[in-house]
Amino acid sequence: MIYLMLRPAESRDMRFWPAQPPSLRNSIDRYSTETANVVSSLLPFMAADMGLKQPERLLEMFAGQPQAMRVSYYPPCRQAGKVIGLSPHTDACAITLLVHVNDVQGLQIRRDDGKWLTVDPLDGALIVSIGDTFEILSNGRYRSVEHRAMVHPDKERISAAMFHLPCATIRVGPLPELIEGGTNARYKSTGYAEFIERFYSTKLDGRRSNLDYYKI
């Protein structure tokens, strides 16, 4: 696995960016820009869906488009049924864009009935996943996706996830417009730094590991 901070540009530490192959750094930079553009296109539609009268307030929370990337490699395992590639969890970010680098299945999401559903890779398609931050901001209208990664008995799997984050200065809590007129807040508010610190201090344990703490 390799995890890199991509945006804003000043967050990049090039010591950790692979120098080989020579085209890699430029490719990551271009991919970073294009996926950030996708999220910029999605946010206005999501704001409209939530009924926000001032969608620009949501966009302002993502000013500078903070973004990180994780590329994961899952080697084949003959006893695939006895191991998990990545334990069940939700993402702390707002929106994740995931691409299957090869066509090997592995991503599974937990349905409301508790059963796991395998997500079939689609060539050229991005998987859009909601994270904990956006569930809280939307006061539960958008639900953070619990997921895990499985391994294949004789095929390797590679995935690339782009995590899109709000500004570090925001408070993570239901948007004010969504709790007006008698609507109750379903989550507590906290500073973003405290939110992230708590996320990384808990073990991967599905939705319980982070979200339940903030529920009212």
Side-chain angles (χ1 to χ4, degrees), residues 22-63:
S23 61
L24 180 65
R25 294 185 175 186
N26 286 337
S27 295
I28 292 176
D29 185 60
R30 294 201 311 271
Y31 190 61
S32 169
T33 298
E34 294 301 331
T35 50
N37 289 340
V38 171
V39 171
S40 293
S41 299
L42 288 174
L43 286 173
F45 289 104
M46 299 170 80
D49 180 60
M50 290 187 290
L52 298 181
K53 298 177 182 178
Q54 297 178 310
E56 62 274 9
R57 292 180 61 184
L58 178 63
L59 299 178
E60 289 170 359
M61 301 180 79
F62 293 85

Side-chain angles (χ1 to χ4, degrees), residues 5-14 17 28-29 32 67:
M5 294 300 301
L6 303 184
R7 300 171 72 96
E10 55 268 25
S11 68
R12 298 181 178 184
D13 190 334
M14 304 309 294
W17 285 49
I28 292 176
D29 185 60
S32 169
Q67 181 193 65

Side-chain angles (χ1 to χ4, degrees), residues 95-115:
I95 299 174
T96 301
L97 298 184
L98 178 78
V99 63
H100 288 93
V101 178
N102 53 6
D103 61 355
V104 178
Q105 290 181 343
L107 175 65
Q108 294 185 337
I109 60 174
R110 192 191 294 272
R111 306 191 315 185
D112 290 340
D113 61 6
K115 296 181 179 179

Side-chain angles (χ1 to χ4, degrees), residues 3-196:
Y3 187 98
L4 299 174
M5 294 300 301
L6 303 184
R7 300 171 72 96
E10 55 268 25
S11 68
R12 298 181 178 184
D13 190 334
M14 304 309 294
R15 293 177 302 164
F16 302 110
W17 285 49
Q20 298 296 330
S23 61
L24 180 65
R25 294 185 175 186
N26 286 337
S27 295
I28 292 176
D29 185 60
R30 294 201 311 271
Y31 190 61
S32 169
T33 298
E34 294 301 331
T35 50
N37 289 340
V38 171
V39 171
S40 293
S41 299
L42 288 174
L43 286 173
F45 289 104
M46 299 170 80
D49 180 60
M50 290 187 290
L52 298 181
K53 298 177 182 178
Q54 297 178 310
E56 62 274 9
R57 292 180 61 184
L58 178 63
L59 299 178
E60 289 170 359
M61 301 180 79
F62 293 85
Q65 298 176 302
Q67 181 193 65
M69 179 186 76
R70 185 185 70 214
V71 179
S72 301
Y73 170 76
Y74 303 91
C77 177
R78 292 296 182 185
Q79 301 186 59
K82 297 182 179 181
V83 300
I84 294 179
L86 190 60
S87 300
H89 67 285
T90 55
D91 294 334
C93 66
I95 299 174
T96 301
L97 298 184
L98 178 78
V99 63
H100 288 93
V101 178
N102 53 6
D103 61 355
V104 178
Q105 290 181 343
L107 175 65
Q108 294 185 337
I109 60 174
R110 192 191 294 272
R111 306 191 315 185
D112 290 340
D113 61 6
K115 296 181 179 179
W116 289 100
L117 176 68
T118 298
V119 179
D120 292 327
L122 294 176
D123 186 33
L126 291 170
I127 296 171
V128 181
S129 178
I130 300 299
D132 293 352
T133 303
F134 210 94
E135 174 166 336
I136 295 175
L137 291 176
S138 70
N139 202 33
R141 182 179 183 92
Y142 284 90
R143 192 165 183 265
S144 185
V145 179
E146 183 178 353
H147 55 285
R148 67 182 183 182
M150 308 302 290
V151 296
H152 195 279
D154 50 25
K155 295 180 181 179
E156 63 182 11
R157 176 176 178 262
I158 304 173
S159 65
M162 305 294 280
F163 303 110
H164 295 84
L165 319 163
C167 300
T169 55
I170 75 160
R171 286 194 65 78
V172 180
L175 294 167
E177 287 186 61
L178 300 180
I179 53 175
E180 294 175 348
T183 302
N184 293 326
R186 299 175 59 186
Y187 304 88
K188 296 179 289 187
S189 296
T190 186
Y192 183 70
E194 293 83 359
F195 178 81
I196 292 298

